[in-house]
């Protein structure tokens, strides 16, 4: 599993292209109803040796107004070079596909979202040739989905809510809501959402809360994250068992184990080290002897 909030912020639109219709409503921009959406190659490289790739590119068919292209960019921080890259993407796509093109930038913090949303005039100061102003989705305008019934009705938006609010104080309530909404969802629907949410949280504190919710509320799902959590649980249990075996050997031999050494033994999760300590416990004269050269890094 790629642990990358950047990937989750745009991949959620690959998994659920219809999500853009709800996001555009939230952003106050009217797009015609969708009929279908197809993922398009993200490679915008020309014959010159300059490689450029948009994060996600979708061709969306509408009911009455024909198709348009949606380029989705995930932006984790301010980057002064990015507006010119975005302008290139839009210009290239217009030239190549001759279709209306919309740029959506997804952010996880308010400062980056405010930076991305500002109009950027391109050209000379005296006469800008064009002004770049993408649609921007982030914690400032994507709603915090904390109602289970609402989340069940729109799991994709609930997932985007969790991803964009990953660093916000309300993310805990959003994650609990999403977890509850997924309990009744089929495996093929729940599994990608579980993984995308884990990706979107990255290494933020909320990631551990999501892992705990998956372990408890969604333990029956088969997914890379749930399997990883189960493996960790098995390893944790085996480590605790070996630590108990070491203490039992000392107890049977009548050897006192000071609190500091006891805590070191019970806190160790390295199975190889615990095996070494267990062998030494059978012959050590004191509890401290088993730790010589065997303390975990």
């Amino acid at each position: 599993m790629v642990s990358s909030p950047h990937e989750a912020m745009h991949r959620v639109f690959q998994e659920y292209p219809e999500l853009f219709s709800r996001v555009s409503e939230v952003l106050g921009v009217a797009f015609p109803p969708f009929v279908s959406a197809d993922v398009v190659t993200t490679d915008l490289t020309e014959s010159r040796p300059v490689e450029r790739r948009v994060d996600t590119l979708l061709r969306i068919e509408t009911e009455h107004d024909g198709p348009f292209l949606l380029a989705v960019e995930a932006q984790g921080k301010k980057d002064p070079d990015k507006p010119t890259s975005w302008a290139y993407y839009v210009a290239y796509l217009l030239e190549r596909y001759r279709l209306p093109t919309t740029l959506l930038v997804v952010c996880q913090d308010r400062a980056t979202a405010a930076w991305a949303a500002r109009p950027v005039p391109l050209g000379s100061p005296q006469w800008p040739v064009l002004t770049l102003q993408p649609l921007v989705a982030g914690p400032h305008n994507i709603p915090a989905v904390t109602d289970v019934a609402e989340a069940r009705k729109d799991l994709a938006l609930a997932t985007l809510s969790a991803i964009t609010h990953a660093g916000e104080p309300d993310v805990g309530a959003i994650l609990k809501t999403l977890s509850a909404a997924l309990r009744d969802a089929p495996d093929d629907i729940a599994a990608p959402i579980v993984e995308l949410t884990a990706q979107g949280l990255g290494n933020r504190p909320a990631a551990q809360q999501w892992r705990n919710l998956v372990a408890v509320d969604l333990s029956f799902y088969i997914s890379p994250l749930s399997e990883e959590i189960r493996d960790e649980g098995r390893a944790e249990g085996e480590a605790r068992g070996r630590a108990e075996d070491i203490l039992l050997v000392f107890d049977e031999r009548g050897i006192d184990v000071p609190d500091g050494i006891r805590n070191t033994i019970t806190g160790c999760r390295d199975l190889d080290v615990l095996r070494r300590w267990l062998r030494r416990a059978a012959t050590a004269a004191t509890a401290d002897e088993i730790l010589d050269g065997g303390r975990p890094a």
Side-chain angles (χ1 to χ4, degrees):
M1 181 188 70
V2 179
S3 178
S4 168
H6 179 277
E7 291 297 305
M9 282 192 283
H10 69 87
R11 275 194 52 231
V12 66
F13 290 92
Q14 292 183 24
E15 296 284 344
Y16 311 101
E18 70 280 1
L19 173 61
F20 180 66
S21 65
R22 271 93 78 192
V23 170
S24 63
E25 290 175 10
V26 169
L27 301 183
V29 181
F31 281 82
F34 295 0
V35 173
S36 63
D38 298 308
V39 177
V40 181
T41 177
T42 59
D43 189 350
L44 308 185
T45 307
E46 296 185 88
S47 57
R48 294 173 297 169
V50 178
E51 183 175 324
R52 301 178 187 267
R53 290 182 185 274
V54 66
D55 288 334
T56 283
L57 182 61
L58 302 172
R59 176 189 167 110
I60 296 176
E61 296 286 345
T62 65
E63 286 186 3
H64 306 296
D65 294 357
F68 71 94
L69 294 178
L70 173 64
V72 184
E73 280 281 287
Q75 193 64 30
K77 61 182 180 180
K78 298 177 184 178
D79 181 350
D81 295 329
K82 208 62 180 180
T84 52
S85 294
W86 291 338
Y88 172 87
Y89 297 164
V90 173
Y92 177 88
L93 292 169
L94 286 168
E95 171 64 21
R96 178 175 178 180
Y97 293 100
R98 302 291 171 144
L99 291 174
T101 300
T102 295
L103 173 64
L104 173 67
V105 179
V106 184
C107 305
Q108 288 183 300
D109 70 88
R110 296 169 186 270
T112 302
W115 165 83
R118 80 203 193 293
V120 179
L122 300 172
S124 66
Q126 296 79 8
W127 191 270
V129 177
L130 55 88
T131 299
L132 177 78
Q133 188 172 18
L135 287 172
V136 177
H140 64 298
N141 56 12
I142 295 298
V145 180
T146 56
D147 180 84
V148 176
E150 182 182 344
R152 285 198 184 104
K153 285 192 296 184
D154 199 338
L155 288 170
L157 185 61
T159 303
L160 184 65
S161 177
I163 292 171
T164 54
H165 288 253
E168 297 286 304
D170 55 7
V171 68
I174 297 171
L175 293 175
K176 289 179 181 177
T177 300
L178 181 57
S179 175
L182 288 174
R183 288 175 193 163
D184 301 325
D187 287 8
D188 60 339
I189 292 176
I193 289 176
V194 167
E195 301 302 318
L196 276 169
T197 303
Q199 274 189 318
L201 297 174
N203 59 3
R204 290 178 169 83
Q208 187 57 51
Q209 181 180 1
W210 182 241
R211 294 174 71 86
N212 294 340
L213 288 168
V214 172
V216 175
D217 294 347
L218 307 173
S219 59
F220 47 86
Y221 284 117
I222 304 299
S223 69
L225 179 63
S226 59
E227 286 300 304
E228 181 182 328
I229 291 172
R230 292 186 186 102
D231 289 343
E232 289 177 359
R234 285 190 286 268
E236 179 86 9
E238 187 175 350
R240 283 198 303 267
R242 290 194 180 277
E244 290 171 2
D245 290 341
I246 293 169
L247 296 175
L248 180 60
V249 170
F250 282 137
D251 184 57
E252 289 294 322
R253 296 184 60 213
I255 294 176
D256 179 61
V257 181
D259 289 344
I261 295 176
R262 183 181 297 272
N263 292 337
T264 298
I265 293 171
T266 57
C268 181
R269 292 296 176 264
D270 188 319
L271 292 176
D272 291 335
V273 171
L274 288 166
R275 290 189 193 97
R276 186 161 62 250
W277 289 352
L278 181 57
R279 288 194 298 270
R280 291 176 178 176
T283 58
T286 65
D288 187 67
E289 285 185 19
I290 74 164
L291 303 183
D292 291 342
R295 292 181 185 272

